[in-house]
Amino acid sequence: MTGAVAPPQAADRAPALRISHLRKSYLTAGGSTVRAIADLSLTMADGERVAILGPSGCGKSSCLRILAGLDTQFAGTIEWGNERAADASRLRSATVFQGDSTLPWMNVDRNIAIGMSGLRLSTTDVRRRVDRYRDLVGLRDFAKAYPHELSGGMRQRAAIARALATEPLLLLMDEPLAALDAQTRLVMQKELHRIWTQTDSTVVYVTHDIEEAISLCDRLLVMSSRPGRVKAMIESPFSRAIEPLERRRMPAFAEMQAHVWDLVAEEVGQTLVGEATR
Ligand code: ADP
Ligand code: MG
């Protein structure tokens, strides 16, 4: 690819996570089995940002739920790196979901603090983290505001701060910007890039949006249609120093977008054909 700097950064760092041959099936209420994930392997370096792309129903959210520890019924193995081992002061993983997950009866600071309730932290440490992560996501002037007083983008900033405040080994994001309007999405992409750089987060980022994945991540994992397997793993040609909006103006961006779209389109086509003939 042209017009770009060699990719990162994290390759020589210790593995944060190794997923080997992950498989997942669901038993439906009717008694039949739905194979959601057929085979997914992924090794992530500490501090790396990996996007997962793929058609609806290919098992992206299932994969995140397993990584979040919310679903333990799966086959395959998940090994966590021990370099930055989890202790009582941080979570192994924290998730930011697509929809609004702020609690309407709590102000911003309490919404952020609630995420730390399972951790062993002193009141002073909780206070310190609330201040740090609220300011980091740009909500300094809204500490006491309630969700109904905030825009959608601001509520999502609060949800991001709540996840970051747990200082997770792995930050999981499931289409976190999908519910926002187009302009707010662009602003938030720039913000996520800035925030991850400051927190040095290891991130699994699920999105439908190819441009968003290229704007934000070091590698893109493209999944096949259901049952999901790894169809391709693509390295970003962009250096971390290049901001999302700047990336969009570079020739390598359009090249990568076309390449990834070809891969995804084949799978979306498969899904549509499957639905039409069901
Ligand atoms: P994605 O996030 O990629 O759209 P999901 O992981 O949500 O996909 O779902 C993958 C497949 O598993 C879909 O076909 C979905 O219908 C099925 N599925 C997800 N959750 C359940 C469940 N709790 N019970 C039965 N089937 C499920
Ligand atoms: Mg999903």
Side-chain angles (χ1 to χ4, degrees), residues 1-9 49 186 189-197 211-218 236-253 256:
M1 294 208 181
T2 53
V5 188
Q9 48 262 26
R49 307 156 190 179
L186 289 180
Q189 286 173 20
K190 188 169 188 281
E191 286 291 274
L192 283 178
H193 180 79
R194 174 184 66 79
I195 290 164
W196 293 346
T197 303
E211 296 182 9
E212 190 166 294
I214 303 172
S215 297
L216 287 171
C217 293
D218 303 321
S236 169
F238 300 108
S239 140
R240 284 268 178 93
I242 307 175
E243 285 199 345
L245 295 177
E246 219 179 310
R247 292 182 190 198
R248 286 170 187 265
R249 295 189 200 106
M250 300 174 80
F253 191 90
M256 186 161 173

Side-chain angles (χ1 to χ4, degrees), residues 26 34 36 55-62 65 226:
Y26 292 100
V34 177
S56 263
C58 75
K60 303 181 295 295
S61 295
S62 299
R65 273 198 301 275
R226 187 171 64 82

Side-chain angles (χ1 to χ4, degrees), residues 21 24 36 43 71 82 122 128 135 157 161 164 177 183 186 198 227 233 253 264 268 272:
H21 303 294
K24 169 71 195 174
T43 300
D71 181 357
N82 54 11
S122 67
R128 204 175 287 141
D135 292 358
R157 286 174 191 261
L164 290 173
L177 310 184
Q183 278 99 44
L186 289 180
Q198 291 191 26
M233 177 63 96
F253 191 90
V264 173
V268 174
L272 295 177

Side-chain angles (χ1 to χ4, degrees), residues 201-260:
S201 297
T202 308
V203 188
V204 176
Y205 193 91
V206 165
T207 179
H208 270 106
D209 186 331
I210 295 172
E211 296 182 9
E212 190 166 294
I214 303 172
S215 297
L216 287 171
C217 293
D218 303 321
R219 286 193 291 158
L220 275 59
L221 187 160
V222 180
M223 286 177 78
S224 71
S225 55
R226 187 171 64 82
R229 53 179 79 244
V230 178
K231 181 182 173 87
M233 177 63 96
I234 303 159
E235 297 254 347
S236 169
F238 300 108
S239 140
R240 284 268 178 93
I242 307 175
E243 285 199 345
L245 295 177
E246 219 179 310
R247 292 182 190 198
R248 286 170 187 265
R249 295 189 200 106
M250 300 174 80
F253 191 90
E255 277 177 45
M256 186 161 173
Q257 192 183 16
H259 176 49
V260 176

Side-chain angles (χ1 to χ4, degrees), residues 119-163:
L119 297 175
R120 233 179 294 144
L121 294 172
S122 67
T123 317
T124 317
D125 284 341
V126 169
R127 187 73 255 155
R128 204 175 287 141
R129 285 200 199 179
V130 167
D131 287 343
R132 169 164 189 229
Y133 292 100
R134 178 234 301 127
D135 292 358
L136 182 68
V137 300
L139 292 177
R140 182 190 289 260
D141 296 335
F142 297 90
K144 302 293 170 236
Y146 284 81
H148 74 269
E149 302 172 279
L150 305 175
S151 68
M154 289 157 88
R155 285 198 289 271
Q156 206 55 337
R157 286 174 191 261
I160 292 165
R162 175 167 57 209

